[in-house]
Amino acid sequence: MKIWLLLGLLLMHEALEDVTGQHPPKNKRPKEPGENRIKPTNKKVKPKIPKIKDRDSADPTPKTQSIMTQMMEKGRFQKPTATLSLMAGQTLELRCKGSKIGWSYPAYIDTFKDTRLSVKQHERYGQLTLVNSTAADTGEFSCWGQLCTGYVCRKDEAKTGSTYIFFTEKGELFVPSPSHFDVVYLNPDRQAVVPCRVTVLSAKVTLHREFPAKEIPANGTDIVYDLKRGFVYLRPHSGHQGVVYCKAEAGGKSQISVKYQLLYAEVPSGPPSTTILASSNKVKGGDDVSVLCTVLGEPDVEVEFRWTYPGQKDERPVMIQDSWRLIHRGLGHTTRISQSVLSIEDFETIDAGYYICTAQNLQGQTTVATTVESS
């Protein structure tokens, strides 16, 4: 009797295991102690990779869209690439979308108010046309939309277009220079450029020193070559001065550029460094007197002078003479000395007082003064 009771209990225990699903399947291994009890899934899930355009769409900065197109043959248009190569003599026509378009193009074309260039504004686009192109026209052509309020306009940075065009001309690997010798000033506080640009995109360009004769490497640290500018001295110093030239090679031909004299400028950029000095601060009636205003500055920066003097309101006749020259101050340092001299003959009482000189350049102005009295 007890045996039948034990068999019944055993069968009931196995039935309960089948119902609760705790009986391990034969085709699956039993889990080891401490193994993760979470049932792994075989479902494949693609990782979500954020799209670049989604990130960009969150950027509040407005996107710049090119508004420039180039007129091709038979009335076709296409957006120009960053650089274009055209044969000299070809007609260039560029169009930019917009009811008010501003243009920029190589300064050479605008220097002599060249009749080969035509810029027109139509209802929906601006048009630039250049006929009889030459190697000298090589450079950057750009346009932009204008946002105007009344007569005041500003550039629309979101609507621009530009392309750098190489006009290839037989026998001209370099963009022609107006002179056979040019001066480049080396300033310690800004970049200097030897402007030997080429007309052939694929040309190999090297920089050379005349004496001692050797190639100057563009190592990317001190000197780099920029197709749109020339050889750029990133950190000029006095050791760079001397006479240099460029050499271009393309299509089995080579050409030498004009020569460039590199001069180191001792005076850093800024408002004029000005002094004033009178020939005498006490003058007798009837004597002559002169007041000298002097500026030491960068070799290639012009200076303008203005005078204020006691007899000005009475239209007292004076003579003012301006001049400048380059001076070398040792170790190849070059400075421009600009002077203005105010002279008065037959000194009178109305000439006594303050003589004020104001010197101005692109960086600002400086005012100095001195007194001249009757003795």
Side-chain angles (χ1 to χ4, degrees):
M1 184 72 179
K2 292 181 179 180
I3 294 173
W4 290 110
L5 181 61
L6 291 171
L7 288 173
L9 291 173
L10 182 62
L11 289 172
M12 185 181 293
H13 176 71
E14 289 180 355
L16 287 173
E17 282 186 342
D18 290 340
V19 171
T20 58
Q22 293 182 3
H23 186 73
K26 291 182 180 180
N27 61 341
K28 292 187 179 179
R29 67 176 178 84
K31 297 187 181 214
E32 298 295 334
E35 187 177 352
N36 188 0
R37 297 286 178 177
I38 299 174
K39 184 178 180 180
T41 178
N42 292 328
K43 184 179 179 182
K44 294 182 179 180
V45 180
K46 285 187 176 182
K48 291 185 179 181
I49 301 174
K51 297 180 180 179
I52 294 177
K53 65 179 182 179
D54 293 338
R55 291 200 304 267
D56 291 344
S57 62
D59 189 353
T61 305
K63 295 182 180 300
T64 301
Q65 59 182 30
S66 177
I67 60 174
M68 178 182 285
T69 56
Q70 179 191 3
M71 174 75 168
M72 308 300 289
E73 296 177 355
K74 299 180 181 179
R76 293 187 301 109
F77 290 89
Q78 73 175 24
K79 287 191 177 295
T81 53
T83 57
L84 290 176
S85 292
L86 300 178
M87 293 299 297
Q90 282 187 256
T91 295
L92 171 69
E93 182 179 335
L94 299 173
R95 293 186 181 184
C96 290
K97 294 180 182 179
S99 57
K100 288 185 181 294
I101 297 296
W103 291 92
S104 176
Y105 39 84
Y108 168 82
I109 301 175
D110 201 37
T111 301
F112 305 104
K113 304 298 180 184
D114 206 320
T115 56
R116 298 178 302 123
L117 178 72
S118 171
V119 177
K120 297 179 180 179
Q121 179 64 57
H122 299 275
E123 184 178 355
R124 296 184 178 180
Y125 64 90
Q127 180 186 40
L128 180 148
T129 306
L130 178 66
V131 300
N132 299 325
S133 57
T134 69
D137 299 325
T138 295
E140 188 91 28
F141 290 78
S142 60
C143 66
W144 57 89
Q146 297 189 85
L147 301 174
C148 300
T149 304
Y151 294 101
V152 179
C153 296
R154 60 184 177 85
K155 183 177 180 179
D156 186 350
E157 298 290 349
K159 295 181 179 179
T160 63
S162 67
T163 183
Y164 189 93
I165 303 178
F166 297 87
F167 288 101
T168 304
E169 187 172 344
K170 186 178 180 180
E172 292 287 358
L173 292 182
F174 286 105
V175 177
S177 174
S179 63
H180 296 288
F181 193 87
D182 204 353
V183 177
V184 175
Y185 294 104
L186 306 173
N187 297 275
D189 56 348
R190 68 170 183 262
Q191 296 179 356
V193 179
V194 177
C196 44
R197 298 179 296 127
V198 291
T199 62
V200 180
L201 178 60
S202 60
K204 177 186 176 183
V205 191
T206 52
L207 180 64
H208 300 261
R209 182 182 296 277
E210 186 177 50
F211 183 82
K214 67 174 183 177
E215 181 179 338
I216 303 173
N219 54 21
T221 303
D222 295 325
I223 305 173
V224 297
Y225 184 69
D226 185 336
L227 275 173
K228 299 180 180 181
R229 301 171 67 192
F231 284 97
V232 182
Y233 285 73
L234 302 177
R235 289 175 287 274
H237 54 76
S238 58
H240 288 142
Q241 62 190 344
V243 177
V244 300
Y245 63 88
C246 303
K247 182 179 180 181
E249 298 177 353
K253 297 182 179 180
S254 64
Q255 186 177 356
I256 301 298
S257 73
V258 301
K259 294 179 180 180
Y260 299 91
Q261 173 73 58
L262 307 187
L263 295 177
Y264 186 75
E266 182 183 17
V267 180
S269 59
S273 174
T274 312
T275 59
I276 192 170
L277 179 67
S279 57
S280 176
N281 293 105
K282 292 187 176 182
V283 184
K284 296 179 180 180
D287 287 351
D288 298 339
V289 65
S290 61
V291 183
L292 173 64
C293 191
T294 303
V295 169
L296 294 178
E298 299 173 83
D300 55 343
V301 176
E302 295 185 358
V303 177
E304 293 184 358
F305 293 96
R306 297 194 307 274
W307 285 95
T308 303
Y309 50 94
Q312 200 165 12
K313 292 182 179 180
D314 298 322
E315 298 184 355
R316 177 75 163 97
V318 298
M319 182 172 66
I320 299 175
Q321 185 175 4
D322 297 343
S323 62
W324 68 270
R325 70 182 189 277
L326 295 179
I327 57 174
H328 301 283
R329 308 185 68 176
L331 297 177
H333 293 60
T334 304
T335 302
R336 178 182 178 129
I337 179 169
S338 303
Q339 294 182 317
S340 181
V341 182
L342 183 149
S343 303
I344 297 176
E345 296 180 349
D346 298 326
F347 188 84
E348 299 178 6
T349 304
I350 61 170
D351 296 321
Y354 285 98
Y355 286 77
I356 303 171
C357 171
T358 300
Q360 182 172 357
N361 62 15
L362 295 176
Q363 285 78 38
Q365 67 179 32
T366 306
T367 299
V368 292
T370 189
T371 57
V372 178
E373 302 175 354
S374 298
S375 59

